Amino acid sequence: MTRGSVETSLAELAARIRARADGRAGRFVLGIAGPPGAGKSTLARGVRDELNIAAGSGFAEVAPMDGFHFTNARLTAEGKLARKGEPDTFDVAGYVALLRTLRNSSLGEPVAWPTYSRELHEPVPGGVVFDRQRVVVTEGNYLLLDDRGTPGWSAVRRLLDESWYLDVPRPIIERRLVRRHIRGGRTPESAKDKVAHSDLVNARLVESTRFTADLVLRKYGRGYRFG
Ligand SMILES: Nc1ncnc2c1ncn2[C@@H]1O[C@H](COP(=O)(O)OP(=O)(O)OP(=O)(O)O)[C@@H](O)[C@H]1O
Ligand SMILES: [Mg+2]
């Protein structure tokens, strides 16, 4: 373990969010950022599940940034399909607007949120519907970006009550992403090419936002560590 760092479990991380969310009238928004393949979606689902076990089902739900991928038709029309995954291939205005709606709407008022299908490689409108959930876990690569590259992203941070950055060593990310692209139908060569020329470029951009997170987490054994 790194000197000075603190070990924690998924249950402790969820308890931290519950303590902060309890006693608030409105919704609490946790944002989980990190490079591609870091395990953000896995961590977000884990926190949601822990919260729903501890506080009762329907307490927390995940609102993925990935639901705001532009459709392949639109990316093709704009000549951006090959760059899918970069900050300007997402509907950032739509993401910010719906996150704001979710934050400001009354508990019990349904809000439909798009998800992303890794089978169809397309967003799924209304993939998840929020209702009484007090905690929103939103997760994605670009939650902590400023506006120096693609305008619009800096508005996300203002809608987060707490932000976490999931930090994973590059070689591990690289291995995971190559494996995932191969599972998705690419040849090993094409998978490695995609990782080197696209995913890792995006990863470097995301890594530049790490220092702005409230908490930087690293996977450690069965749990995580921070600090
Ligand atoms: N803690 C972990 N230990 C080992 N493998 C993990 C862990 N978390 C995630 N993975 C694996 O790493 C891969 C990426 O995980 P996940 O989809 O959660 O990452 P992500 O950050 O959401 O990626 P993306 O940015 O592409 O959406 C998956 O194959 C997942 O099973
Ligand atoms: Mg993900």
Side-chain angles (χ1 to χ4, degrees):
M1 192 173 77
T2 306
R3 206 178 329 155
S5 72
V6 177
E7 278 179 55
T8 188
S9 65
L10 209 47
E12 284 170 352
L13 288 167
R16 170 190 170 103
I17 295 305
R18 189 180 173 192
R20 291 206 58 199
D22 269 350
R24 287 169 59 125
R27 288 202 165 95
F28 184 95
V29 183
L30 166 66
I32 302 177
K40 303 177 297 295
S41 301
T42 306
L43 174 59
R45 285 194 297 269
V47 170
R48 174 199 63 192
D49 293 348
E50 288 288 342
L51 281 170
N52 287 338
I53 289 166
S57 66
F59 188 78
E61 187 50 277
V62 178
M65 184 201 95
D66 272 0
F68 287 89
H69 266 290
F70 282 129
T71 60
N72 291 334
R74 178 167 175 159
L75 292 174
T76 302
E78 294 179 357
K80 293 180 181 169
L81 190 64
R83 299 199 295 102
K84 188 172 177 174
E86 293 187 18
D88 69 335
T89 65
F90 291 86
D91 175 13
V92 59
Y95 176 50
V96 167
L98 197 59
L99 200 54
R100 187 173 290 122
T101 297
L102 199 48
R103 231 187 120 85
N104 296 337
S105 59
S106 309
L107 299 186
E109 192 182 312
V111 177
W113 188 278
T115 54
Y116 184 76
S117 166
R118 287 206 184 272
E119 287 72 42
L120 303 173
H121 304 286
E122 292 280 13
V124 179
V128 62
V129 178
F130 283 78
D131 182 9
R132 301 211 60 82
Q133 288 86 354
R134 297 260 315 277
V135 172
V136 175
V137 185
T138 189
E139 56 91 9
N141 294 350
Y142 302 127
L143 271 51
L144 302 176
L145 284 192
D146 57 29
D147 281 342
R148 272 177 294 183
T150 304
W153 285 105
S154 70
V156 176
R157 161 187 300 283
R158 293 194 286 276
L159 298 170
L160 305 179
D161 294 291
E162 176 154 331
S163 60
W164 296 353
Y165 182 95
L166 185 53
D167 199 15
V168 177
R170 278 271 183 83
I172 295 180
I173 288 178
E174 233 174 297
R175 266 204 308 277
R176 281 186 193 166
L177 291 171
V178 168
R179 238 185 277 138
R180 191 161 76 193
H181 287 313
I182 291 172
R183 274 204 306 273
R186 287 178 185 263
T187 63
E189 291 67 34
S190 152
K192 281 182 199 152
D193 192 65
K194 173 76 177 163
V195 169
H197 296 108
S198 172
D199 295 324
L200 290 185
V201 177
N202 298 334
R204 274 191 282 277
L205 175 64
V206 174
E207 279 164 14
S208 73
T209 70
R210 172 176 41 201
F211 76 100
T212 68
D214 296 321
L215 201 63
V216 176
L217 291 170
R218 282 171 176 268
K219 185 83 189 113
Y220 187 70
R222 292 173 146 263
Y224 292 86
R225 68 186 186 199
F226 62 86

